[in-house]
Amino acid sequence: MNRFENRVALVTGGASGIGAASVRRFVAEGAQVMVADLDGEGAEQLAIELGAMTDTFQVDVADSSAVDDMVKATVERFGRLDVLFNNAGIVSTGTVDSLSDEHWKRIIDVDLSSVMYGCRAAIPVMRAQGGGAIVNTASISGLFGDWGIPAYNAAKGAVVNLTKAMAADHARDNIRVNAVCPGGVETPLVADVVASRRAQIEYQRLVPQGRMGKPEEIAAAVAFLASDDASYITGHNLVVDGGVTVTTGQPNFTAIAERWWDPLKN
Ligand SMILES: NC(=O)c1ccc[n+]([C@@H]2O[C@H](COP(=O)([O-])OP(=O)(O)OC[C@H]3O[C@@H](n4cnc5c(N)ncnc54)[C@H](O)[C@@H]3O)[C@@H](O)[C@H]2O)c1
């Protein structure tokens, strides 16, 4: 597939995990890609590997003027901007009663405000060139609560609804805005979980597909939403989670039932 030939994509958090897999996917499908990340060295390494289709921009997505510069640099380098993937993010643990103001604000700035900054900078460019596609990385943690990561839950929940609001506002500009909601994915962000045997057993037990996701599996969904294959899809949250959110959260009856309930016997 060459869905992104002659198109330009900007990927934040592009040096690692889901972002890096998406950069690879966009390049494989013909795009020129700006790899933006706080980790400038990581971005450079990926760009060296992928060659002339890519360039890099070191950015803290929590800094709105740096985000403006990132979008400007992308247009200066490649001449246009067709796809913005707002993906950079961090996670932190701590229940609400333990969070400092600084902790809370950093999560909200990096995981939520960054999405607004990126869209605010990109939308005028896309509108002027006749349209574009934006994909935001939310999370299944934006759809439900988890234990011990309330700031992240709040930020990702807001990304889900911000995505819908921007989708409505900019549909007539021919700009589609969608979100991807990954479940647990094997990336450096959750290295502790990936490395923990206990966590892997839990994922096996709780996820209907029995495992964590791979970054490439999220990248495939991102590429779909960013491509013309999704031309009539906007404001959608595409859940990519091996089925973990299809259950109610009750125990797996098939695993624990001593006998099957029989409607004919009651
Ligand atoms: N891995 C998971 O299980 C999972 C699940 C759901 C959602 N997500 C989301 O996916 C996105 C990507 O995460 P990942 O799992 O690929 O993690 P990752 O740590 O592998 O990659 C995140 C990248 O973002 C960069 N980054 C962090 N803070 C930044 C900042 N302030 N400015 C610019 N770049 C910054 C990091 O340097 C890193 O390269 C995040 O938004 C995360 O919340 C991840």
Side-chain angles (χ1 to χ4, degrees):
M1 281 190 286
N2 256 1
R3 293 180 294 187
F4 299 102
E5 209 154 285
N6 301 320
R7 295 191 187 181
V8 174
L10 166 56
V11 178
T12 72
S16 174
I18 293 166
S22 302
V23 169
R24 290 178 196 282
R25 179 77 189 233
F26 284 133
V27 169
E29 292 204 39
Q32 293 179 292
V33 183
M34 182 63 92
V35 186
D37 206 292
L38 192 59
D39 174 9
E41 219 171 275
E44 275 294 324
Q45 271 173 19
L46 184 60
I48 288 167
E49 182 199 321
L50 295 175
M53 297 294 274
T54 58
D55 204 347
T56 64
F57 191 89
Q58 184 170 18
V59 66
D60 179 351
V61 292
D63 175 347
S64 67
S65 68
V67 170
D68 288 345
D69 291 344
M70 169 185 81
V71 169
K72 215 179 287 168
T74 306
V75 176
E76 273 168 21
R77 172 67 175 81
F78 295 119
R80 52 189 293 116
L81 178 60
D82 301 287
V83 174
L84 170 63
F85 182 27
N86 286 308
N87 165 73
I90 52 175
V91 68
S92 67
T93 47
T95 54
V96 157
D97 55 314
S98 73
L99 297 186
S100 66
D101 291 2
E102 291 71 28
H103 181 147
W104 169 261
K105 283 182 184 148
R106 184 65 184 161
I107 294 292
I108 297 298
D109 285 350
V110 175
D111 289 349
L112 169 60
S113 302
S114 63
V115 174
M116 191 284 265
Y117 299 152
C119 293
R120 184 173 62 186
I123 283 169
V125 176
M126 291 179 169
R127 186 193 288 127
Q129 75 191 14
I134 297 172
V135 181
N136 302 318
T137 303
S139 170
I140 57 169
S141 301
L143 305 175
F144 302 96
D146 293 294
W147 282 279
I149 52 170
Y152 186 77
N153 287 125
K156 293 297 189 180
V159 170
V160 166
N161 220 25
L162 176 61
T163 298
K164 289 179 195 284
M166 293 190 297
D169 282 337
H170 300 289
R172 302 292 172 104
D173 297 323
N174 196 30
I175 300 170
R176 294 181 302 101
V177 190
N178 289 290
V180 68
C181 290
V185 183
E186 290 174 353
T187 72
L189 183 77
V190 290
D192 294 352
V193 176
V194 176
S196 152
R197 204 176 116 65
R198 193 168 152 215
Q200 291 305 320
I201 290 168
E202 282 292 285
Y203 271 98
Q204 238 171 51
R205 192 172 69 81
L206 294 171
V207 181
Q209 284 189 242
R211 61 174 175 85
M212 296 184 81
K214 309 231 173 284
E216 296 74 23
E217 293 175 309
I218 313 304
V222 171
F224 165 67
L225 290 172
S227 78
D228 291 347
D229 285 341
S231 56
Y232 200 50
I233 300 177
T234 197
H236 186 67
N237 301 307
L238 182 49
V239 173
V240 188
D241 70 347
V244 74
T245 55
V246 302
T247 68
T248 59
Q250 295 194 78
N252 179 345
F253 297 132
T254 62
I256 61 171
E258 310 247 313
R259 62 178 177 85
W260 287 102
W261 297 309
D262 184 343
L264 302 180
K265 282 192 182 153
N266 291 314

